[in-house]
Structure formats: structure tokens, C-alpha cells
Amino acid sequence: MIQNEYVESVSASLVREYLSRKSLKATLQSMDKELPRNDYSISNRSQLAKEIHINNLMKKNKEQEEPLRSMIEIITKYFLEKHSSKNSTVPTQSSSGASLSGGNANKTSALYDQSELAFSGLPPEDVSGRKAAKATVIHMPAQRPGSRFDNEDDNKPRQSFHQNSSRTEAPAQATSRPSSSRRRGMSGPITSNLDDKSRKNKKKTSANISGNASLTFDNDITSEYSTHIVDDYLTDKKSNKTDTKSSTDSFQDLLIAANSRSSKLKEKKKNEKDSKKDENQDLRKSRELDGDSMPERPQSRRRKSSTKMREKSTTLGDVELGDLDDLDDGITEKVGPKTMPSGLQSKINFSSKPITLNEAMELKNLIFGTSQSAFNDEWYKQGFGFSNAARLEYGIVQHKGGPCGILASVQACMLQQLLFGERKHASSASLQPLPTERSQCLAGGLADIFWRAGSRKSATVCLSSGRTVFTCGGRYKADNLTETLNLNTFSTYEDLSNFLKANIGAFEGQNSPGVILSLYSVIFSRTVDKIIVDMDEPTNKLMGAHGYCTQEMVNLYLTGEAVSNVFNDIMELDSGGTDSMLLKGLSRRSDIGLVSLFEHYKSCEVGRYYKTPKYPIWVVCSESHFSVLFCLKKELISDWRVERRFDLYYYDGLARQDEEIRLTVDTTQVNPELPSEDDLIPPLELCIRTKWPGAVVNWNGSEPIL
């Protein structure tokens, strides 16, 4: 059984695609507030079509002279056509019924375009004698073949979507729309008491239509996901060919009536407009006579252009139909886990493809050394979720040990965006961001990491499609994530950043595999071949013992290159023979710095590229754990006078930190460091002194971390 959460997410994606195609931005924003996007939300229109298996319908629709704009309309058209030959009557709006917009008997609540009525094959019927339909029930599929949730139990009742076509002579069980939905222009499913009752019953009954006739859609939509959908479509189309011709003639009366009402309405509006125009002209003349001219409103040009657009659109009854745009336009900025913030581009250009078996095997070989391994639970359930502790809202929480190297690196890049981003001035108030602000900074930090790994020319973002995209072989161990990846490649930083901001929910969830998705993304951005060349030994792997991050993995996040060392440039190691070994370090100054406890113990040397980064943010390597140090003053890395006395903030996502830790570093004093008391000195102080030798560190009342 398919999880209800997945069905709801795909359905919501269809609704968002409809709202996007209809340019209902305000409604879309309201929907995103009331029903937030999640990891299963689909952000690409072509991917959504593949997911619900309507590619053939989309192609046929595009070949029409007047193609429909949204997927919901295409699906609705298909079922209207398919069921037209099986039912004697269809739900229509009574010509004498009251409309949904206010009970006016001279208006209809919904009318079909003539091109949409022609294919339906509906039987001829007297328009004036028809009774208004009360409701139509459509049951969604209980199972979608090929889903990753096929083997999961789902005892929840299936939902139904109810749509009231009229409120005239409504029976006792029918309910009217709420008053908030009666404003002109609102659309979409309306929740009522009838809906609540129907959700409790597993068996759904169809609504009565025209007396004893009924129209039932039970389980018919499951054929939408069948591989024989095209054959069914063509068979029904041939069988209904004769009925379609007669049905088209049967609706001429309805169309004539609608056009007549539309003409009267236009004429009435024109008369009102002319009368207002005459009044304005009289007022302008009177003011001119008085010496006071009437200034033109600044919005007059905009109104003229909008008037021209309305003239281009076609009107049928009370429904205004605009020109159809290209059906291949993307909806990435509208459909996704998060709403795109205002000001971003309306289109995001990128290429997308599913991962292959060979790519998945190369990926696991690089990380684990074998394609038979997989991540443990500490990695699978680790996302970039934030802390809710006071004054620590910026901090990413780590659940268990293991991925601390990635979390600290992403935390540092996120702080770079939060404190020193475009038109930002760091202060103590910057460390208390709103949830939306920190999410956007997280997206910006990930964009920097991926773009840097792609040599600032391209980047790849890996997201799960929710289903297996290749057949797993004997040499590959499936993990229900790697084999579901879609690889989205970007050629501009702006498109990459906008895409991540729209889909940041896939990385930000507390128990989502956000860390793994980020690791896959940075690897594909750099490419497996280049990472192997970066490392000292081509047989090295990115995952260390016990599921810990290696230095190569941390360097890949911070510098974009998976070098094995932390010193500057390349060091040649002469073994005394004819061959010498090249040890590779940083090739340029890093944006984010690094200090290491191993340097205090003389086990390694951290170069100036890491010790003096472009931003005063350092990843701290202490023993086998990574954390973050940062300063609010950017001048710390460029003005020696600031280095006399300054504050450093410390954050450790694994330590269950519940209060702010602020360290005051004083380099004007000499620290009386005694070698015999090394074990009593906090390791963090030893790491700080590798950058500022002999500095005195004051914990300002916080308990020193030993």
C-alpha cells in the first residue's frame, strides 16, 4: 500500500501545478502556509508527469489545437471522455439554478470551453429540463505500482474530493460552500461536513444525478497508472466516436445561452463604462474651466496594458479564458518543499537525470571502498535541523556521533551567509535569526559548497525521487536512497541557489537523510574522477573508521578539493629511492578556516590558507570530533589591532549545548602554560593557541569543556 503521506504530497503537487499554471500566486502562497511542502513534494513538472504516468496524455494534449494548461485539467478531460459513453446523464449546471458567486439565477457557476465539450461524448439532453447536479465523488487510487511504499501497511481510509456544482434545491445531505469561498475567483476543493463524514467511511457512494441516474468514478483512476493507459484511451475514443458527434450538437443550446448572457453582461459593463467616462470628461472640463487640470494617474499605463490583455482573452459566459502558454514551462519555483521567496527568477534552468547503477557503485566505492557497504542509522537519520535553544537558533543539531565533520563544515558556511552575507552587518542580534532566515542561509551555504566543488562552473544537487530508478545488481547493496536519486545539474550559481532555496526542506528535516544528500551532491559536483586525483592515494576512501569523516571529506566541503592534508600547496616526500611521493595540501586561501588539536601535538601542520581564512570562522578538529569557532568582527583576519583582544563564539552541535559560549581571547598577555598541566587545559584552548600562541582565554562564566 502507498503511504497516505506520499499520496497527499503528490496530490498537493498537482494542485500547486494547477495554481502555478493559472498564475494564482496569492492562493499558492496561502496553500504553502496551510499545507507546507515536505520531502515527497515534487518540484519539476516533467518529473510530476512521470510520477503519475500521464506522459502520453501530456503529449496528446500538446498536439491539440487548444491544449489544456494544467495536469488536473488533462486528467479530468481524460475521465470525462472515458466515462461519457458509460453514463446516461452528466452533471451540468441548471440554467435556472443559482450560481456560487451569490445566488444570481442569470449566472452559471462553471462553463466548459467548446473544445473541451466536443470530446466528452455526452448524450443529448434538453438544457432547460436538466436538474442541477449535487455532487461528484472521485476516489483516488489505493496503490501505485512501482512505489517504494508498496509493502507498507496503510489502514487509513482513502480520501475523496467533492465538488458542488450547484446549490439549487440542495437535498438535506448536501452542504453549501463556506462564506469565505464565495468570493469571485476562488477555486479548488471545498472542505465541508459531508467531506468529514465521507472520510470515515471506507465505501463511498456516488452522488445522485438527475433522479435515479448516477455517475461513479470508483477505482477507475487506477487505470491512470497502468501501462496500458494509451490502449484504453484509444479504445474508448473509437467506441465513442459516434456519440461524440451527437453530443457536440446537444450542447449548442448551452453554448448559445452562455454566449447570450456573456454578450448582455459585456453590453451592460460597456454602458456603465461609457457613463463613467462621460462623467469623468464632464468633471475634467469643469476643472479646466476653473483652472485646475485633472492629473493623470500613475497607474493609467498599467491599466491600458491590462485592458489590451483582456481584449486578447476569450470569454465564455462568466469564465474568462486567456491565451495558453507553452506547456513545457517549468514550475520549479512554485512546486517544492518550500515556497520560493519573492524576487527570485520565475524559471530555473537545469538538467536532470536519474542515477545509474554504475554511478551508484562508483559513489559507494569512493565513500566506503566497496559497493557492498551502506550508511548506518546515525547518517540516515541526520538532517540539518536547527536548535530551538535561546541564542542558539543558528546552530545545527547533531543527534549522534559520526557525521560531525560535514555538520561542522555546513554550519560554518551557513554562518558565513548569516553573518557576512550580502548587505549584512554581523552583530549579536544576527545570532537569533528567524526560521525562514536561517533556512535561506543554510541553502546559501550549501550552494557555496556545491558550487566551489564544481570549480565554480557547475554543480549537481542530488534529491530522492521516492522510487528506485535502476535494477540493483549482485555487487551492489541497496539502501533505499542511493538508487532513488535524481541528479540535477546547474550551470549558473543563481539557478543553483534558487533551486536549493525552493527545496531546502529535503536537507533541513530533523530525521531526513540531508547529510547524505549533501555528500552525494558535493561528490557529483566535484566528480568521482577528480576526487580520486585530489587524494594522496587513489585507494583512499572518504569514510573513516566507525563512520567518522576523514580529512579528505572535510577538505572537500571547505575548499572544494578532497586533498589529504591541511598544509599549503604540495609537499614532496623523498623516500631515498628514485621515486618520490607527493603530499597534496590546499592550493588557495580558504573562505572558512580550520584549527586542529593535532597541530598542538606536532602530528600535523595547518597552513596559513586555513589559519587565516577570508572570513573569521574556523572548523575545530579536536580528537575525532569537529565543532565551530567564529567571530562577529570580520576585521579580525585583516587588522592586527583587532587581534589584541576579541571574542570568539563556540558551538558544538553534538554536546547538547543549551547556552551561548563566548570566549574572550587576549593576546597582549603571556599565558603561563606548564607542560605538566597539559591534561588540565581544555583542548579548545590548545586549538586556539595554535593560531594565537600564548593567548589567554577567558570562558566568561561558562564551564570549560575538558
Side-chain angles (χ1 to χ4, degrees):
M1 300 288 292
I2 302 178
Q3 281 188 352
N4 283 3
E5 181 183 3
Y6 183 76
V7 175
E8 181 182 1
S9 299
V10 175
S11 303
S13 299
L14 277 172
V15 176
R16 288 189 173 94
E17 187 266 353
Y18 174 85
L19 298 178
S20 173
R21 305 297 290 177
K22 298 298 184 181
S23 300
L24 302 175
K25 298 181 180 179
T27 308
L28 183 61
Q29 292 177 359
S30 299
M31 179 180 178
D32 288 331
K33 291 180 181 179
E34 297 178 3
L35 182 64
R37 306 167 195 253
N38 55 31
D39 298 341
Y40 299 123
S41 297
I42 301 176
S43 59
N44 183 270
R45 193 165 188 255
S46 59
Q47 180 182 346
L48 180 60
K50 293 179 182 178
E51 190 69 16
I52 59 177
H53 302 279
I54 61 169
N55 290 330
N56 292 325
L57 289 181
M58 295 284 288
K59 186 181 297 184
K60 288 182 176 293
N61 176 72
K62 193 173 182 180
E63 295 173 355
Q64 300 294 325
E65 294 182 0
E66 296 182 2
L68 298 173
R69 299 183 64 180
S70 66
M71 295 183 183
I72 291 180
E73 292 174 309
I74 296 173
I75 295 173
T76 303
K77 175 180 177 179
Y78 168 75
F79 283 109
L80 286 175
E81 180 178 2
K82 182 174 182 179
H83 290 274
S84 60
S85 60
K86 300 178 182 179
N87 299 275
S88 59
T89 60
V90 295
T92 57
Q93 174 67 37
S94 175
S95 59
S96 60
S99 68
L100 297 176
S101 60
N104 188 353
N106 293 328
K107 296 183 178 180
T108 58
S109 61
L111 290 173
Y112 292 104
D113 187 3
Q114 184 174 2
S115 61
E116 298 177 10
L117 296 171
F119 68 80
S120 60
L122 297 173
E125 186 177 350
D126 184 13
V127 177
S128 61
R130 279 198 296 266
K131 294 184 179 179
K134 303 304 183 295
T136 301
V137 182
I138 302 178
H139 298 301
M140 298 304 293
Q143 183 175 3
R144 179 177 60 81
S147 171
R148 59 181 293 196
F149 304 113
D150 286 350
N151 297 326
E152 298 188 12
D153 247 353
D154 188 2
N155 297 323
K156 298 180 180 180
R158 295 192 297 270
Q159 287 188 344
S160 299
F161 297 96
H162 298 258
Q163 180 180 359
N164 296 332
S165 60
S166 175
R167 293 188 295 128
T168 304
E169 300 179 0
Q173 69 271 18
T175 59
S176 61
R177 293 181 180 234
S179 59
S180 60
S181 68
R182 296 173 187 173
R183 294 174 294 177
R184 188 184 182 111
M186 286 193 65
S187 61
I190 303 301
T191 304
S192 64
N193 296 332
L194 182 61
D195 295 331
D196 296 334
K197 293 179 181 179
S198 64
R199 291 191 184 100
K200 297 179 182 178
N201 301 325
K202 292 186 177 180
K203 295 183 179 181
K204 306 293 189 300
T205 58
S206 60
N208 294 329
I209 302 174
S210 301
N212 298 327
S214 64
L215 179 63
T216 305
F217 287 169
D218 287 346
N219 297 328
D220 287 331
I221 200 169
T222 55
S223 63
E224 188 69 27
Y225 304 103
S226 172
T227 55
H228 304 290
I229 185 172
V230 178
D231 297 335
D232 296 341
Y233 179 86
L234 294 176
T235 302
D236 291 341
K237 190 172 183 180
K238 291 179 180 179
S239 62
N240 296 335
K241 185 175 182 182
T242 306
D243 295 338
T244 302
K245 183 176 180 181
S246 59
S247 171
T248 305
D249 298 333
S250 68
F251 277 89
Q252 295 301 320
D253 295 338
L254 177 61
L255 294 175
I256 293 173
N259 289 328
S260 176
R261 286 191 294 270
S262 176
S263 301
K264 293 179 180 179
L265 182 61
K266 282 185 176 180
E267 184 177 357
K268 182 179 180 180
K269 290 182 177 180
K270 184 178 180 181
N271 294 334
E272 293 177 355
K273 185 177 180 181
D274 292 339
S275 61
K276 290 182 179 180
K277 185 176 180 181
D278 294 337
E279 292 176 0
N280 292 334
Q281 288 179 354
D282 296 337
L283 180 61
R284 187 180 293 107
K285 290 180 180 179
S286 63
R287 290 190 177 184
E288 289 177 356
L289 293 175
D290 296 335
D292 183 17
S293 60
M294 185 177 183
E296 185 179 1
R297 293 185 179 181
Q299 299 178 352
S300 60
R301 181 176 300 177
R302 184 182 302 176
R303 291 186 176 182
K304 291 178 181 179
S305 60
S306 61
T307 303
K308 293 181 180 179
M309 292 298 294
R310 287 195 296 268
E311 290 176 354
K312 292 182 180 180
S313 61
T314 58
T315 304
L316 181 61
D318 296 333
V319 182
E320 185 173 292
L321 306 174
D323 295 336
L324 299 180
D325 54 352
D326 188 5
L327 291 178
D328 291 332
D329 288 347
I331 57 166
T332 308
E333 78 285 2
K334 296 295 190 298
V335 182
K338 294 271 185 175
T339 305
M340 289 281 290
S342 60
L344 297 181
Q345 288 184 342
S346 59
K347 293 184 179 180
I348 301 178
N349 298 317
F350 65 100
S351 60
S352 180
K353 69 168 186 175
I355 191 174
T356 64
L357 175 60
N358 290 336
E359 289 173 333
M361 293 180 65
E362 290 179 354
L363 193 62
K364 288 197 171 185
N365 282 327
L366 177 65
I367 298 174
F368 305 106
T370 173
S371 58
Q372 294 287 348
S373 296
F375 291 96
N376 54 30
D377 290 340
E378 285 76 8
W379 284 76
Y380 271 115
K381 297 180 180 180
Q382 181 63 65
F384 297 106
F386 288 97
S387 171
N388 293 322
R391 303 187 67 84
L392 294 176
E393 293 89 348
Y394 64 87
I396 298 174
V397 177
Q398 182 178 352
H399 305 313
K400 295 182 180 180
C404 56
I406 292 179
L407 291 170
S409 301
V410 174
Q411 177 75 79
C413 295
M414 178 265 178
L415 286 170
Q416 175 189 335
Q417 292 283 329
L418 180 65
L419 301 176
F420 310 109
E422 186 178 1
R423 291 191 291 270
K424 288 187 178 181
H425 180 72
S427 65
S428 58
S430 303
L431 301 180
Q432 303 177 46
L434 297 174
T436 54
E437 182 182 5
R438 66 188 184 184
S439 296
Q440 297 302 303
C441 291
L442 173 62
L446 291 174
D448 287 344
I449 292 171
F450 302 157
W451 190 249
R452 187 163 49 231
S455 301
R456 293 179 171 83
K457 296 180 180 178
S458 64
T460 299
V461 179
C462 299
L463 294 179
S464 174
S465 64
R467 55 189 177 87
T468 302
V469 295
F470 63 80
T471 303
C472 301
R475 295 177 298 168
Y476 173 82
K477 182 178 180 179
D479 55 25
N480 295 326
L481 176 63
T482 309
E483 57 272 11
T484 68
L485 295 180
N486 268 346
L487 311 182
N488 308 295
T489 304
F490 303 84
S491 58
T492 66
Y493 179 84
E494 186 177 9
D495 288 336
L496 170 66
S497 177
N498 290 346
F499 181 83
L500 284 171
K501 289 177 181 178
N503 295 276
I504 193 60
F507 298 91
E508 194 177 4
Q510 289 284 359
N511 294 320
S512 69
V515 167
I516 300 178
L517 292 176
S518 72
L519 178 59
Y520 285 164
S521 299
V522 75
I523 290 175
F524 277 110
S525 296
R526 181 63 179 167
T527 72
V528 174
D529 293 338
K530 288 184 179 180
I531 291 177
I532 293 175
V533 174
D534 288 339
M535 299 186 292
D536 289 346
E537 290 290 339
T539 56
N540 286 358
K541 55 184 181 180
L542 295 180
M543 184 68 71
H546 311 295
Y548 293 160
C549 303
T550 62
Q551 190 63 53
E552 287 90 344
M553 186 185 295
V554 174
N555 288 343
L556 178 61
Y557 271 77
L558 296 181
T559 69
E561 298 176 352
V563 293
S564 302
N565 305 282
V566 292
F567 50 73
N568 293 355
D569 303 321
I570 298 176
M571 183 181 298
E572 186 174 355
L573 184 63
D574 191 357
S575 59
T578 56
D579 297 333
S580 60
M581 183 177 182
L582 296 179
L583 303 180
K584 302 170 185 176
L586 275 65
S587 60
R588 64 181 66 86
R589 185 184 180 191
S590 176
D591 289 347
I592 305 298
L594 182 140
V595 291
S596 175
L597 183 63
F598 293 109
E599 185 176 21
H600 169 76
Y601 294 123
K602 310 300 180 182
S603 299
C604 72
E605 176 188 353
V606 180
R608 305 301 298 178
Y609 289 160
Y610 257 156
K611 282 187 179 178
T612 310
K614 297 179 181 179
Y615 297 92
I617 306 172
W618 291 268
V619 171
V620 180
C621 176
S622 179
E623 301 292 342
S624 58
H625 185 56
F626 293 88
S627 50
V628 181
L629 269 174
F630 60 94
C631 180
L632 300 181
K633 295 181 179 180
K634 190 176 180 181
E635 299 81 7
L636 180 64
I637 46 89
S638 60
D639 190 346
W640 62 271
R641 291 169 295 186
V642 181
E643 290 185 290
R644 292 176 177 177
R645 184 181 176 87
F646 56 92
D647 289 339
L648 289 177
Y649 292 83
Y650 177 73
Y651 180 76
D652 184 359
L654 184 61
R656 300 296 186 269
Q657 187 174 333
D658 57 359
E659 63 177 0
E660 183 180 77
I661 298 179
R662 180 178 58 86
L663 309 175
T664 300
V665 180
D666 192 345
T667 61
T668 61
Q669 303 181 36
V670 178
N671 182 63
E673 182 178 344
L674 300 177
S676 59
E677 297 180 358
D678 264 2
D679 294 338
L680 301 178
I681 301 176
L684 182 58
E685 292 187 22
L686 300 178
C687 292
I688 292 175
R689 292 189 184 109
T690 62
K691 164 66 175 170
W692 295 281
V696 176
V697 180
N698 184 0
W699 287 76
N700 295 317
S702 299
E703 188 70 22
I705 301 174
L706 297 174

